Amino acid sequence: MPEKILESFEIRRLEILDPKGEVDESLMPSLSADEIKKMYELMILSRTFDQRAIDLQREGRLGTYASILGQEATQVGSAFTIQKSDWIFPSFREMGVYMTLGYPIHQLYQYWAGDERGLKAPEDLNIFPICVPIGTQMLHAAGAAMAAKYKRDPIVVITYFGDGATSEGDFHEAFNMAGVFKLPVVFICQNNHWAISLPRERQTAAKTLAQKAYAYGFEGIQLDGNDIFAVYKGTKDAIEKARRGEGPVFIECVTYRMSSHTTADDATRYRSKEEVEMWKLKDPILRLKLFMERKGLWTEPYQKEIEERSRQIIDEAVRVAESVEPPHPEDMFTYTYAKPTFRQLKQMEDF
Amino acid sequence: MPQLNMVQAINLALKEEMMRDPDVVILGEDVGKNGGVFRVTEGLWEQFGSERVIDTPLAESGILGISIGMAAYGLKPVAEIQFVGFTYPALDQIFSHASRIRSRSRGRYTCPLVIRTPYGGGIKAPELHEESPEALFCHMPGIKVVVPSTPYHAKGLLVSSIRDPDPVLFLEATRLYRLIKEEVPEGDYTFPLGKARIVREGKNITLVAWGSMLHKVLQAVEGYDDVEVIDLMTLHPFDEETLFKSARKTGRVIIVHEAPKTCGFGAELSATLAEEAMLYLKAPILRVTGYDVVMPLPKLEDFYLPTVQRIRKAMEDIIKY
Ligand SMILES: Cc1ncc(C[n+]2csc(CCOP(=O)(O)OP(=O)(O)O)c2C)c(N)n1
């Protein structure tokens, strides 16, 4: 008996906008000039936020902070396609996602400065708190998707994680559950090439991360994560597919963490200057700028104006974050249980 | 009124809550068609369908992780972990998330989840099928720990646990599943979480136990006069008032649990009594517990578990002191 091929697959990679700012018109999603400008402005805002966070950390006004430098296209481009009623389960490196969705920026600074109140999402936004253990939030996303499916709510759940997270057991359990139950969930991996000091090759021997979805019975796609149009289109298609009830999608966004892992890390210990320099040429913001210039959407004064506006927004967010009264010690008891326990009530008398 | 064992009482509680509240869903390994390996969910899949009684893949972290997402979204999942020893792969989800969601999101999201799981020894089962790790969970703020000791109380406590707005670990003594039958009424009744019950009143010694050890204690005190027996029922938060009152009355306290002694829940009770009732005590607080060893396989499990003799010896020691 001859051997048979039972299954084979192809991994698609989506690229639309190249580093010179040129696009493949046949793949270009329909976006108005205003939408494109909005995306660009959100990327500038994200970068301004990020740079300020690092400065504030250096001045001792913020705790350890995880930079998003270089990942702006992945974050803004994907979040741009999310609807208000959708649910989002982020990891800890998605400040650009939070900002695109309209999360109060001062709360993000509050959180990184060690004030838990920064994590309380506004009532009209279904975004979960930052998740510190790696990969565990993917299961919460699958669970929320399961609940939404049970309630017949036409929403989609989106979860973000890094390339390192794909090595954790919960990645497998979440993908497996999502596949088995055909859940409306979109998994977005920001493959930024490094999990602290470990390169992507040390997480898996597989050629792409995207192909892992196929083992769980659903589609995986790789895209250029520094190309905001590819991210936008890839996510939009995935979300629409999930919303139609056609099950989960896994999107691998290939991007690069241009800064150190966090402000407590020194990336020069484990990676080469040349590598970083090479990725600087693929900067997602630069790339969109070149495109916009070509289309007549970008001018010097415009750049000045949005940089100035971003600075003002960030100044104001920092001002608000730093002028908030510190939390009362009782605050740590308030949310452990719906009602404080007998013993907690006694302990609260200490203040 | 029907005479039910623990399995049937818990099954009835699940059924009635599912009928009352469409947000209650069950999930776990083999809970559907098979009705659970102990048959606790028997008949529910047939009645409520596979959307509400969900057979999951074999994945403990996965079961509790998706339960957390479901709970945050607005459902009330009751997750079954087949044996408490297999909560260990899922401790991350319980400790890192279930217990902290309310606090981390400042009340924006909550986790009204019940984790049901059989625990405890005396059933001659394989490794990791006889654990009693309740203290581990009691140490983690944000979750509640409930251990019923009879079918009647199991039903009322489970209903309270399902309606509780916070995550509850509901430990079911495997040894008690089919050991006793008693009258368990149909329809709504509950026992509040955080309240103990006095099973027997007395003035001389207070014996405190929960789950299957309560029955050992009741056997041990047969023939002794004036011994008070407390069934703690909820371990976290536990009923300090009932405990203090009894200790002040009797002046002698013995705590019995089957978990190892070191850092067992008895240590917490004992320290609390030392803080609050020291001057009423006529003797040191004694603990009769499992040993500080890995739970042995069937050949030795009877030597591991507290026995009637060990409990009686403690009673004699505490009187003589
Ligand atoms: C379970 C767990 N193990 C270890 C850590 C410490 N840690 C924080 S971030 C990180 C690397 C994560 O890499 P990746 O998933 O690629 O995300 P990235 O940091 O690149 O965004 C590690 C090991 C953690 N937070 N959680």
Side-chain angles (χ1 to χ4, degrees), chain A residues 87 119 121-123 125-127 130 136 140 143 150-153 170 173 331 335 337-338 342-343 346, chain B residues 22 51-52 59 61-62 66 69-70 73 92-93 97 102-104 106 108-109 142-143 166 236 240 268 272:
Chain A
W87 281 58
L119 291 180
E123 287 299 328
L125 209 55
N126 306 312
I127 187 161
I130 277 164
T136 49
H140 310 154
Y150 174 68
K151 291 192 168 226
R152 311 275 188 271
D153 292 341
D170 280 359
E173 298 195 22
D331 197 60
Y335 300 103
Y337 297 99
F342 185 70
R343 182 169 273 190
K346 277 201 271 184
Chain B
E51 256 197 322
R52 289 188 73 188
S61 189
I66 62 170
M70 290 171 119
Y73 194 85
D92 184 24
Q93 287 292 345
H97 295 291
R102 177 185 294 280
S103 161
R104 293 252 310 147
R106 314 322 278 163
R108 173 69 166 75
Y109 303 105
I143 44 187
D166 290 308
H236 191 163
E240 299 190 354
E268 178 58 45
T272 306

Side-chain angles (χ1 to χ4, degrees), chain B residues 29-44:
Chain B
E29 293 157 12
D30 309 297
V31 297
K33 194 169 189 180
N34 194 35
V37 289
F38 289 102
R39 306 283 173 265
V40 176
T41 55
E42 189 152 56
L44 300 178

